Structure formats: structure tokens, C-alpha cells
Amino acid sequence: KNQVEQSPQSLIILEGKNCTLQCNYTVSPFSNLRWYKQDTGRGPVSLTIMTFSENTKSNGRYTATLDADTKQSSLHITASQLSDSASYICVVSRNNAGNMLTFGGGTRLMVKP
Amino acid sequence: GAGVSQTPSNKVTEKGKYVELRCDPISGHTALYWYRQSLGQGPEFLIYFQGTGAADDSGLPNDRFFAVRPEGSVSTLKIQRTERGDSAVYLCASSSYVSDTQYFGPGTRLTVL
């Protein structure tokens, strides 16, 4: 079964601290993996996308890693800001199904001052 | 428009009623997707359109759910005989082609009393 599991489910950190969110997937075949940020009451917004051959991708203070052998990805947030408070969703695309996406349940991050 | 828009933003209805949810994709985007998101979970795929035709409707939970995109732009998700379990946020996304990044709308929060 194609699944995407994320951990932790929720996380609280202090402003300025770093954190790392985890994503494990069993989706096959694999096309790409994306991390989305979803603010409360908004639709998800793409942060990074990585294909099979890419190990890391950065977008400002966000750095995503991918290990296609172990089917694991992480999203590292550096020097967190209050505006980073949101849900972060890991999404894996299968390459034989158009652009069908399998979504993880998300990690809800709260950054406190 | 600048992004994907969805109307209404909130819809409250009674069990057994019929509802229609509208999605206006980004102009020129040929692919359109509907997802359903329950509280604290990641989005769940419902259906996607390539142009006017439903390319994959395997995510629709049952025959009470139906979606159309008659002119290849605006799409309407229709739910008949609503049930309390249909309560969720319904997200729409569009992409310029089927394997491109999906841009999400803000969603419609449906509450069935």
C-alpha cells in the first residue's frame, strides 16, 4: 500500500531554534517528493521538490534531504521564526499515475517567542 | 486571477441536502484536482481533470460525489444527500500540466449538521 508517514505529529520550539521533521514513504514507483507548508485555513504551498537523483534541496531557511534507498526524507528549518508556525506536509508522487500525490498526515509546528 | 480561488469559503448544510463547491483554477492550467482534508490530516485525493475530462476519479468515496469541468476551466464538486462524515475542507489545486507543481486554493470548509 502506498503510504507516507510523518513524525512527529506535532512540535513546539522556541523562536530562533532549529528543528527537523521526518518523512518515511512506501510509495512505489517513485517520481518525486515535495514538502508543502500549510498555514491554518490556507491551501498547501510547495517548499521544495526532489527527484530520485537529488539528495538535498534548499529554499531559504528550509533544507530538505532525500534518501531514496531507505525511502526517507527530512525537512530542516533553521533559525525558526514565528511565521514558520504551520503544518508541514510530505507528499510523494508516483510516476505511473499522472501526477497522483500521496500525502502524509503532516507535522504541526508551533514556534513560540 | 492570481491564484486558485474556491467558493464558498464556508458552507454549512443539513444532513441529506445537496451542495456544490466551486473551483476557479489559475488561468491556462489544464490540470485540476480535488482533495478532501479532515482535521489534523493530510489531503486525500478525490478526482483530477485533464482538460474537460476526468482522468482519474478513483478517489471519490461513493456515487454521492460527482465533479464536472464542462469548459476545461472552472470545476464544480457536487455532493448529494450529504452525511455528517462528509464534513471536511475540500481543496482544489491546478497545474499547468499534469506533472507540474500543483497550486492549491484556500479550500471550502463544509460542515454537515
Side-chain angles (χ1 to χ4, degrees):
Chain A
K1 182 178 179 181
N2 293 308
Q3 286 187 314
V4 178
E5 302 287 342
Q6 292 188 240
S7 63
Q9 280 191 318
S10 62
L11 182 63
I12 301 174
I13 62 175
L14 293 176
E15 186 179 12
K17 297 295 186 182
N18 305 335
C19 67
T20 301
L21 315 180
Q22 301 292 341
C23 172
N24 297 334
Y25 62 92
T26 60
V27 177
S28 181
F30 174 87
S31 176
N32 59 65
L33 184 148
R34 303 170 190 264
W35 282 92
Y36 279 84
K37 178 185 179 185
Q38 185 174 23
D39 292 310
T40 301
R42 302 286 190 95
V45 175
S46 181
L47 292 174
T48 64
I49 175 173
M50 289 179 291
T51 59
F52 184 89
S53 59
E54 295 177 292
N55 300 120
T56 186
K57 185 72 69 79
S58 291
N59 178 0
R61 294 179 296 102
Y62 301 102
T63 300
T65 65
L66 173 64
D67 185 333
D69 292 330
T70 61
K71 298 187 177 181
Q72 295 179 327
S73 176
S74 67
L75 180 69
H76 186 75
I77 304 174
T78 304
S80 61
Q81 300 177 358
L82 298 179
S83 60
D84 293 332
S85 296
S87 288
Y88 291 84
I89 304 175
C90 175
V91 187
V92 181
S93 176
R94 289 170 278 150
N95 65 5
N96 70 341
N99 193 25
M100 293 309 99
L101 306 180
T102 303
F103 288 75
T107 292
R108 182 172 296 276
L109 174 66
M110 182 178 294
V111 180
K112 290 193 167 183
Chain B
V4 178
S5 61
Q6 292 185 244
T7 55
S9 56
N10 281 284
K11 176 70 177 179
V12 179
T13 190
E14 294 180 342
K15 180 175 178 294
K17 298 291 187 182
Y18 168 83
V19 297
E20 289 189 352
L21 312 179
R22 176 186 168 111
C23 172
D24 282 84
I26 293 172
S27 178
H29 279 191
T30 60
L32 184 146
Y33 311 79
W34 283 99
Y35 297 89
R36 179 168 68 175
Q37 186 173 28
S38 299
L39 189 63
Q41 299 186 17
E44 173 189 22
F45 169 76
L46 295 177
I47 183 172
Y48 100 91
F49 291 87
Q50 182 59 40
T52 61
D56 186 342
D57 63 358
S58 62
L60 295 177
N62 51 60
D63 61 6
R64 295 187 298 105
F65 288 75
F66 189 71
V68 296
R69 195 186 186 199
E71 298 179 356
S73 177
V74 172
S75 176
T76 304
L77 178 65
K78 308 180 181 190
I79 309 174
Q80 298 177 319
R81 305 183 303 281
T82 52
E83 299 177 357
R84 292 194 180 87
D86 298 335
S87 296
V89 174
Y90 289 82
L91 292 167
C92 174
S94 71
S95 62
S96 59
Y97 53 92
V98 75
S99 60
D100 196 15
T101 296
Q102 295 183 17
Y103 295 86
F104 285 82
T108 293
R109 180 175 296 281
L110 175 66
T111 303
V112 182
L113 301 177

